Amino acid sequence: MDFNSTTPLELEVIRTITKTMHEAWMNPSSSYPAGRKAKDIINTARENLAKMIGGKPQDIIFTSGGTESNNLVIHSVVEDFYKHQPRKEDGLQPQPQGSGAKPHFITCTVEHDSIRLPLEHLQEEGMAEVTFVLVSKVSGQAEVDDVLAAVRPTTRLVTIMLANNETGVIMRVPEISQRIKALNLRRVTSGLPRILVHTDAAQVLGKRHVDVEDLGVDFLTIVGHKFYGPRIGALYVRGLAKQTPLHPMLFGGGQEQNFRPGTENTPMIAGLGKAAELVSKNCAAYEAHMREVRDYLEERLQAEFGKKRIHLNSQFPGTERLPNTCNFSIEGPQLQGRLVLAQCRRLLASVGAACHSDLGDQPSPVLLSSGIPFNVARNALRLSVGRHTTKAEVDLIVDDLKQAVAHLEGPD
């Protein structure tokens, strides 16, 4: 029950990877037929990813994963800002945002560490300024008006995740993009560069339909191991290098249009393409199944422990959430999430994001930011069902939780 942290490879993905390892292990940059075969496999995978998100193949760059993709976006925006800053020695006039300016980023308080930490680092090094917008304690979302209110003349990027990995809350990215697009029209007339929009879609792909045209974003992060693919990723860049700037962090042999050099990992790219193909074909069925099982899980929890005792931390009135995510707390002074999990014999789950596993007994910062009371957040468990999770498995883990709670609370 921890599929938000990672997923297993689908059998079709494993077969694709294995076949590619045997039959297309040659260097994709080689000009002879075996090399061209490897390159064709990579191009097919690129087309599959583009189809999955409604984009163009030429706008997809393969990366090592979500962390690299997110850092690449941030790095590119910083480099592009300083590249176009006027210098006194060039005799150029200062831009409207003023001389000595730094690029300004807007994000929210519940982002993944691969967004939060590089931005904090840039701020500490004096290379950028960052506004962390608080999420609403009513909706669990970064409110559109709050994001727009944070905009400055020096703002260059708004990066808001598409869905939160702990609560499952779907962020209002399309509305943010629309408002930024309208704002950009006014900024151009004032001589200000436009603001770019990025979303980390790691938790949404394979669970809900994703279309970059509907979202209106300039960048979108793709993470393979969240949708039953290998542990590599990709970055979508709208109008790569023509409409939207991108600057490489690495330099080498010129692969991936010089934006991400290094001999391509053909087998894993092939596997990522196959995983994307499965999502394109089956996403609606995946979503319906996960929602049915997740809803059954929440019904069983409330039936066994009582509605007054179960606090569903991922339910915010009027807010959409991922179909597979259930973040809940069982009220009780001895029922901290880690203690409950330690007593479970079958249940494999998280108290929050896997990348925050070093927090000890401290409640999840995401839940606290979302308005969940300290004593409730301390008891939180995040269960995330997968494509093949069954109701019978739900019954098993609810029984497992019952015995864990009974053991911790002891005899009456």
Side-chain angles (χ1 to χ4, degrees), residues 131-144:
T131 298
F132 290 91
V133 173
L134 295 171
V135 294
S136 166
K137 290 177 169 54
V138 176
S139 68
Q141 299 169 317
E143 295 292 354
V144 180

Side-chain angles (χ1 to χ4, degrees), residues 78 129 158 231 395:
V78 170
E129 296 175 330
V158 172
R231 289 180 182 175
D395 292 335

